[in-house]
Amino acid sequence: MYWDKEIETIDRPALEALQHKRLKTTLQQARKSLHYDRIFKEVGMDPDAVKTVEDLEKLPMTTKEDLRDHWPYGFLAASRDDLVRMHSSSGTTGQTTIVFHTANDIDQWASIVARSMYMTGMRKSDVFQNMMTYGLFTGGLGFHYGAERIGALTIPAGAGNSKRQIQLMRDFETTTIHIIPSYALHLTHVFEELAVDPRRDTKLKRAFIGAEPHSEKMRKKLEDFYGFKSFNSYGLSEMCGPGVAFECPAQNGLHIWEDHFLVEMIDPQTLKPVPDGEEGELVLTTLVRDGMPILRYRTKDLTRIIPGPCECGRTHRRIERIKGRTDDMMIIKGVNIFPIQIERKLMGIPGVGNNFLIVLERVDFTDLMTVKVEVQREYFMGDLRQLEALRRRIVEELKSDILITPKVDLVEPDSLPVSEGKAKRVLDNRKD
Ligand code: ADP
Ligand code: ZN
């Protein structure tokens, strides 16, 4: 049941001692980079003198902007000769950031991805189809190396080409897939079109879904359609990529691998720590990386630590599914709204289809939100009063959660843009 029982069930004092040891090595390594060398000098920090993890609080946090400002080599802490791989972030919020890996970094990364997959029950007898983009994006090769580490037959299918994906699943009896949740929902249409029932016609039993926020309702919808059990996978290229935190069979929060990452949770406004259980922004420090260690990285991802032990016996703390990035927050008529709130409501309404888009506009100095929602085709064929009733229901349900009344436009299936990568949920047409 455990990939590495000793480390996964390590008691907290031993884990903290290990973190401390690794932090010291990380700080010494980080000093070799131009950026951290300057920062250490600025704050008068001697990495060799760091006694406790708390000493880290003297250091300013690192942001995506810092990485962008020092593009491409400012954070590099190893000799270029020792690098074996480069990846980048997806660029969801602007210019991508670059991350370099040594052979040891790749090895460490593969080990936590393997640990994560193994935790969900994946074994060498499984057939793993990786439906994520291969290339600079970390979701392709990151999972690929983890799956090979387990010894599973790994199909590097890459993203898109839906019909071929389904064919591969059937021909090679894929048991496990890695897929972006919005794309998995889109793919349900293609299954229906081909009259292939994944429960009957495939051997799928498990899916790793991640890379973008999604709700529990979305998970249920996917599990119901495909008949698999799905596990939330969280990661970010700056830390390595996937494998940072992963759901266990209890499906109640994601264990964050604290032997590899030091976890802080802060209030994004005041930057002060928030206690376990309270929502905050996740801040991470790499503990085993040589090529490009990153200290106190502001992920901009909002979540909370779930207090208390997990029934699976692992001692690494759990985070709740990511609510969204701080950047994703929309402020409409003074109300803070995250796209996941819209998604969660929509996924629970019968008749709603597979895709939606939030459009923001500014008219007469007022921000307006329109939610375009794909609904099932039969609504456009029958009595249009049913369509109107569905529209009203959506307005009411959304209003009960987001507290403002959005405009809702119902559209036909497959009429909104589909992404093979992370879904773009918000189209912001507001002009400043
Ligand atoms: P980018 O930050 O440009 O999207 P990455 O490919 O490194 O580039 O993506 C990492 C980010 O993706 C995370 O910081 C987070 O916002 C999002 N993400 C990754 N996995 C999940 C997940 N399981 N749930 C929600 N968001 C996720
Ligand atoms: Zn668990």
Side-chain angles (χ1 to χ4, degrees):
M1 138 184 217
Y2 299 107
W3 174 254
D4 182 343
K5 183 164 187 210
E6 202 182 319
I7 203 75
E8 289 172 57
T9 60
I10 185 172
D11 64 43
R12 297 295 304 182
L15 178 60
E16 278 157 29
L18 179 67
Q19 286 184 320
H20 183 213
K21 190 169 137 238
R22 290 183 168 177
L23 178 64
K24 280 193 99 151
T25 317
T26 297
L27 291 173
Q28 281 152 356
Q29 183 68 9
R31 181 163 52 183
K32 296 180 191 160
S33 75
L34 282 171
H35 175 71
Y36 285 118
D37 181 48
R38 187 175 55 78
I39 295 281
F40 289 153
K41 285 183 183 136
E42 264 171 34
V43 299
M45 183 188 243
D46 175 5
D48 298 323
V50 168
K51 293 264 172 336
T52 66
V53 167
E54 283 72 45
D55 287 344
L56 201 60
E57 283 177 19
K58 288 195 201 113
L59 273 183
M61 294 186 203
T62 306
T63 62
K64 232 183 175 74
E65 290 68 39
D66 291 328
L67 292 170
R68 286 173 182 149
D69 290 348
H70 293 81
W71 200 90
Y73 295 120
F75 276 77
L76 188 60
S79 137
R80 285 201 217 172
D81 288 354
D82 290 331
L83 301 178
V84 298
R85 177 102 65 83
M86 151 180 153
H87 277 287
S88 82
S89 65
S90 308
T92 312
T93 56
Q95 165 74 39
T96 58
T97 53
I98 296 293
V99 178
F100 297 105
H101 301 259
T102 63
N104 183 51
D105 294 336
I106 296 287
D107 183 55
Q108 294 282 7
W109 181 17
S111 79
I112 47 172
V113 176
R115 184 198 291 178
S116 304
M117 295 167 126
Y118 195 89
M119 170 168 77
T120 70
M122 181 168 148
R123 298 292 180 267
K124 69 194 296 295
S125 52
D126 277 297
V127 177
F128 174 64
Q129 187 167 328
N130 193 6
M131 301 168 67
M132 290 276 180
T133 308
Y134 277 68
L136 285 168
F137 177 53
T138 53
L141 288 170
F143 262 84
H144 189 100
Y145 274 57
E148 286 192 352
R149 180 68 58 93
I150 287 182
L153 172 62
T154 303
I155 307 177
N161 210 340
S162 304
K163 289 190 178 150
R164 195 185 59 163
Q165 297 280 5
I166 295 171
Q167 194 65 43
L168 286 170
M169 280 176 202
R170 298 184 74 186
D171 289 352
F172 302 100
E173 306 195 320
T174 302
T175 60
T176 307
I177 56 172
H178 176 211
I179 189 166
I180 294 213
S182 52
Y183 183 70
L185 196 55
H186 164 74
L187 199 66
T188 62
H189 260 173
V190 187
F191 271 99
E192 282 164 355
E193 246 172 64
L194 298 173
V196 178
D197 175 357
R199 289 170 169 270
R200 187 192 58 208
D201 305 323
T202 76
K203 294 268 189 308
L204 289 181
K205 57 181 177 197
R206 143 178 351 94
F208 307 127
I209 60 172
E212 65 182 12
H214 56 285
S215 64
E216 189 61 32
K217 287 246 167 64
M218 171 80 128
R219 180 229 293 274
K220 286 271 146 37
K221 202 163 171 159
L222 295 175
E223 289 190 336
D224 284 351
F225 181 84
Y226 287 96
F228 54 44
K229 210 171 168 198
S230 83
F231 301 92
N232 194 343
S233 153
Y234 169 78
L236 59 160
S237 53
E238 292 85 358
M239 290 296 109
C240 60
V244 175
F246 219 91
E247 252 177 355
C248 69
Q251 287 183 312
N252 180 19
L254 296 82
H255 289 283
I256 186 153
W257 298 126
E258 295 186 79
D259 56 326
H260 282 235
F261 307 100
L262 195 69
V263 180
E264 296 175 78
M265 197 66 81
I266 60 157
D267 177 322
Q269 253 80 49
T270 62
L271 308 189
K272 296 269 179 298
V274 300
D276 281 8
E278 276 179 33
E279 184 180 293
E281 176 183 339
L282 186 63
V283 173
L284 296 172
T285 297
T286 63
L287 290 175
V288 297
R289 295 184 57 78
D290 296 332
M292 214 175 123
I294 303 188
L295 312 174
R296 307 194 81 201
Y297 183 65
R298 288 189 64 179
T299 64
K300 296 196 175 174
D301 292 325
L302 296 171
T303 178
R304 66 181 187 102
I305 299 277
I306 301 175
C310 182
E311 64 187 58
C312 76
R314 290 177 181 81
T315 48
H316 300 242
R317 282 178 297 171
R318 286 167 298 156
I319 53 168
E320 197 169 67
R321 63 172 62 251
I322 305 286
K323 178 179 176 187
R325 304 179 197 235
T326 46
D327 304 317
D328 292 340
M329 192 174 80
M330 302 170 278
I331 306 179
I332 310 290
K333 296 182 181 153
V335 184
N336 300 347
I337 304 169
F338 283 90
I340 200 171
Q341 292 173 269
I342 311 269
E343 189 232 76
R344 190 168 54 209
K345 277 288 167 196
L346 292 178
M347 290 303 133
I349 304 176
V352 165
N354 294 339
N355 206 352
F356 70 95
L357 181 69
I358 301 164
V359 183
L360 303 179
E361 276 150 331
R362 186 165 293 157
V363 179
D364 296 337
F365 305 104
T366 308
D367 288 338
L368 297 181
M369 175 194 264
T370 304
V371 187
K372 291 178 185 267
V373 184
E374 286 186 6
V375 299
Q376 288 162 8
R377 200 172 304 280
E378 47 268 31
Y379 281 88
F380 289 93
M381 303 204 280
D383 184 347
L384 286 183
R385 277 175 299 185
Q386 274 182 346
L387 187 67
E388 177 55 17
L390 178 60
R391 195 190 67 77
R392 286 220 188 112
R393 170 157 183 208
I394 294 174
V395 173
E396 286 309 313
E397 295 239 4
L398 290 180
K399 193 175 148 193
S400 71
D401 193 319
I402 63 178
L403 307 175
I404 61 157
T405 310
K407 184 165 175 285
V408 170
D409 283 351
L410 301 187
V411 298
E412 299 211 25
D414 295 329
S415 58
L416 295 174
V418 180
S419 164
E420 284 175 2
K422 302 176 190 232
K424 191 162 168 35
R425 293 301 191 197
V426 182
L427 182 63
D428 194 344
N429 289 333
R430 292 173 297 181
K431 308 251 182 313
D432 286 323

